[in-house]
């Protein structure tokens, strides 16, 4: 980290922050999700004072946006008294680890926190109001079309997954708007009224399924809504080959490699009634798919790794990188 800080001509603390956010952003992009940080309105006050002492202009007041990229700051919604109260009882619920550098008055931020902020608090400064004078919440949307485009580029314009928490409290009009937004990015027209009403009615009973000429729209036991293009790579056959002692599998735009001196590995899909050896006894592969809540449409497409004709690993991660393979049984390089 010191070497990187020197190359970037930045302080060690700032360099560490940049690296940390870059890693979190990368993970969130891979999972098509968001990450949260513990920044609050008092932190905002510290940052503003830091910027002003360095000669910053009016733009500095818009730092620490409530959302930026895939980062979300939930604590900025707490008023000062609520935040202080939370910090009183939070340590009794969760362990809080304090960075040793936070008490080092050699850092300007720590001097501001220890010496200036208490004076402002004593003068009844409202940090929550101060923060929201320069920020807006209305601009945030979990369904931002720009972000949907980022997801679709990564998945090669083939499928989407909408978690239950992202649609369960929507009105009828909002739900249709969200589904139409996803379909639009997949280059499909909006849902017809009758088709949408039918799908929404099915949602009320649990499972839901709608098929058009170019896509499947469905919800099953996972309670996520999936949209799959019919020409998606998830419906293609897996490719596999040997190169000396390395076995390679290609499917859904992903590649997995495995090493075996005996060349006793192969890839295929599940067979009816097939069982996998577990630590204690055997378990039907179909039951594993049910437990992992894999959509029925995909269960005869997800690759399974076999050794000596016995199933040893289901490659769930080749369908969705946020899933782990089951079980993690052999050496793999990616």
């Amino acid at each position: 980290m010191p070497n990187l800080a020197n190359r970037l001509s930045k302080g060690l603390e700032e360099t560490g922050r940049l690296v940390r956010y870059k890693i979190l952003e990368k993970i969130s992009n891979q999972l098509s999700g968001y990450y949260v940080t513990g920044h609050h309105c008092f932190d905002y006050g510290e940052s503003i004072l830091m910027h002003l002492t360095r000669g910053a202009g009016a733009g500095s007041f818009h730092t620490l946006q409530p959302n930026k990229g895939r980062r979300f700051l939930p604590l900025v919604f707490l008023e000062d008294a609520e935040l202080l109260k939370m910090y009183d009882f939070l340590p009794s619920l969760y362990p809080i680890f304090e960075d040793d550098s936070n008490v080092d008055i050699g850092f300007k931020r720590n001097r501001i926190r220890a010496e200036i902020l208490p004076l402002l608090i004593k003068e009844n400064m409202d940090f929550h109001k101060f923060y929201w004078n320069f920020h807006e919440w209305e601009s945030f949307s979990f369904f931002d079309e720009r972000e949907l485009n980022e997801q679709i580029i990564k998945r090669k314009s083939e499928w989407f997954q909408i978690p239950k928490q992202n649609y369960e409290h929507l009105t009828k009009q909002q739900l249709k708007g969200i589904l139409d937004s996803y379909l639009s990015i997949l280059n499909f027209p909006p849902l017809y009224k009758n088709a949408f009403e039918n799908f929404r009615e099915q949602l009320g009973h649990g499972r839901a399924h709608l098929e058009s000429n170019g896509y499947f729209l469905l919800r099953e036991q996972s309670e996520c809504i999936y949209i799959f293009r019919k020409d998606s790579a998830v419906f293609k056959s897996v490719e596999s080959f040997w190169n000396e002692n390395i076995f390679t599998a290609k499917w859904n735009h992903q590649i997995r490699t495995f090493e075996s001196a005996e060349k006793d590995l192969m890839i295929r899909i599940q067979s009816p009634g097939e069982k996998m050896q577990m630590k204690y006894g055997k378990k039907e592969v179909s039951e594993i798919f049910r437990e992992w809540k894999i959509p029925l449409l995909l269960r005869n497409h997800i690759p399974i790794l076999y050794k000596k004709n016995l199933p040893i690993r289901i490659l769930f991660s080749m369908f969705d990188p946020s899933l782990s393979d089951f079980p993690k049984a052999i050496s793999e390089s990616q």
Side-chain angles (χ1 to χ4, degrees):
M1 194 64 69
N3 292 334
L4 179 60
N6 289 333
R7 291 202 302 271
L8 296 176
S9 299
K10 295 183 180 295
L12 188 61
E13 183 181 21
E14 184 178 1
T15 302
R17 181 171 61 252
L18 291 173
V19 171
R20 183 166 64 250
Y21 287 156
K22 187 175 182 64
I23 293 172
L24 290 171
E25 196 80 14
K26 180 180 179 181
I27 294 172
S28 298
N29 279 325
Q30 290 173 344
L31 301 178
S32 298
Y34 293 82
Y35 66 95
V36 300
T37 67
H39 293 98
H40 44 67
C41 296
F42 291 112
D43 290 328
Y44 172 72
E46 292 176 10
S47 297
I48 293 302
L49 292 172
M50 286 274 291
H51 294 318
L52 293 179
T53 60
R54 293 171 177 169
S60 63
F61 288 93
H62 299 284
T63 189
L64 287 180
Q65 292 290 327
N67 62 290
K68 184 177 180 180
R70 295 198 174 273
R71 184 179 65 179
F72 174 47
L73 279 55
L75 296 185
V76 297
F77 294 90
L78 296 179
E79 296 185 1
D80 295 359
E82 295 174 323
L83 185 66
L84 293 173
K85 184 178 180 181
M86 184 194 74
Y87 270 92
D88 285 339
F89 74 83
L90 197 59
S92 64
L93 300 177
Y94 303 100
I96 296 179
F97 303 97
E98 191 74 26
D99 191 327
D100 293 340
S101 67
N102 286 345
V103 296
D104 185 351
I105 59 172
F107 293 106
K108 180 185 289 188
R109 180 179 291 276
N110 292 339
R111 295 196 296 274
I112 292 173
R113 180 182 300 146
E115 299 171 12
I116 301 179
L117 251 64
L119 293 176
L120 296 176
I121 293 174
K122 186 176 180 180
E123 294 298 327
N124 297 318
M125 179 171 177
D126 190 331
F127 286 87
H128 180 263
K129 183 177 180 180
F130 178 42
Y131 176 88
W132 286 105
N133 281 339
F134 299 97
H135 297 84
E136 293 184 358
W137 170 243
E138 288 75 16
S139 63
F140 180 82
S141 172
F142 281 106
F143 307 105
D144 182 77
E145 188 164 324
R146 176 175 56 85
E147 297 206 3
L148 293 183
N149 273 301
E150 291 176 359
Q151 289 187 45
I152 204 63
I153 289 171
K154 295 181 187 308
R155 287 177 174 165
K156 300 185 183 296
S157 305
E158 294 180 352
W159 67 277
F160 275 121
Q161 176 185 6
I162 311 174
K164 180 181 178 182
Q165 62 267 26
N166 284 2
Y167 71 82
E168 63 177 334
H169 298 303
L170 299 180
T171 65
K172 181 169 72 171
Q173 291 76 14
Q174 289 171 332
L175 176 61
K176 188 175 189 304
I178 294 303
L179 295 177
D180 287 346
S181 294
Y182 279 97
L183 289 171
S184 174
I185 294 172
L186 288 168
N187 295 317
F188 292 116
L191 285 166
Y192 287 112
K193 180 180 178 181
N194 289 343
F196 169 72
E197 293 285 2
N198 180 265
F199 184 76
R200 183 169 176 268
E201 182 180 355
Q202 292 182 58
L203 285 178
H205 298 289
R207 296 178 183 271
H209 183 96
L210 185 152
E211 180 177 352
S212 81
N213 290 332
Y215 63 87
F216 298 103
L217 179 64
L218 57 99
R219 186 186 83 167
E220 296 177 358
Q221 66 184 107
S222 70
E223 298 188 328
C224 294
I225 293 177
Y226 287 96
I227 306 175
F228 291 102
R229 291 186 64 97
K230 287 187 173 180
D231 59 2
S232 169
V234 298
F235 300 123
K236 308 296 183 183
S237 299
V238 64
E239 300 176 35
S240 62
F241 56 89
W242 283 96
N243 184 2
E244 296 183 349
N245 293 332
I246 302 298
F247 180 67
T248 300
K250 294 183 178 181
W251 182 70
N252 191 30
H253 309 296
Q254 298 197 51
I255 298 175
R256 294 289 184 273
T257 58
F258 309 90
E259 186 174 356
S260 175
E262 299 180 19
K263 294 189 177 180
D264 52 359
L265 302 177
M266 65 177 296
I267 290 279
R268 66 170 189 252
I269 61 174
Q270 67 169 327
S271 299
E274 192 167 39
K275 295 184 179 182
M276 179 177 287
Q277 182 65 51
M278 310 298 292
K279 187 175 181 180
Y280 302 105
K282 294 184 178 182
K283 192 169 192 175
E284 283 200 13
V285 173
S286 59
E287 179 62 24
I288 298 171
F289 277 109
R290 282 194 292 272
E291 289 180 355
W292 282 66
K293 300 180 179 180
I294 301 299
L296 284 169
L297 278 175
L298 293 179
R299 293 181 188 177
N300 286 327
H301 296 280
I302 291 181
I304 301 175
L305 184 67
Y306 288 76
K307 185 170 185 174
K308 297 180 179 178
N309 290 318
L310 294 176
I312 61 171
R313 191 173 184 186
I314 305 176
L315 304 178
F316 289 123
S317 66
M318 293 188 77
F319 160 53
D320 185 345
S322 67
L323 299 177
S324 299
D325 295 335
F326 180 87
K328 292 189 175 181
I330 67 172
S331 173
E332 174 183 355
S333 61
Q334 298 184 23

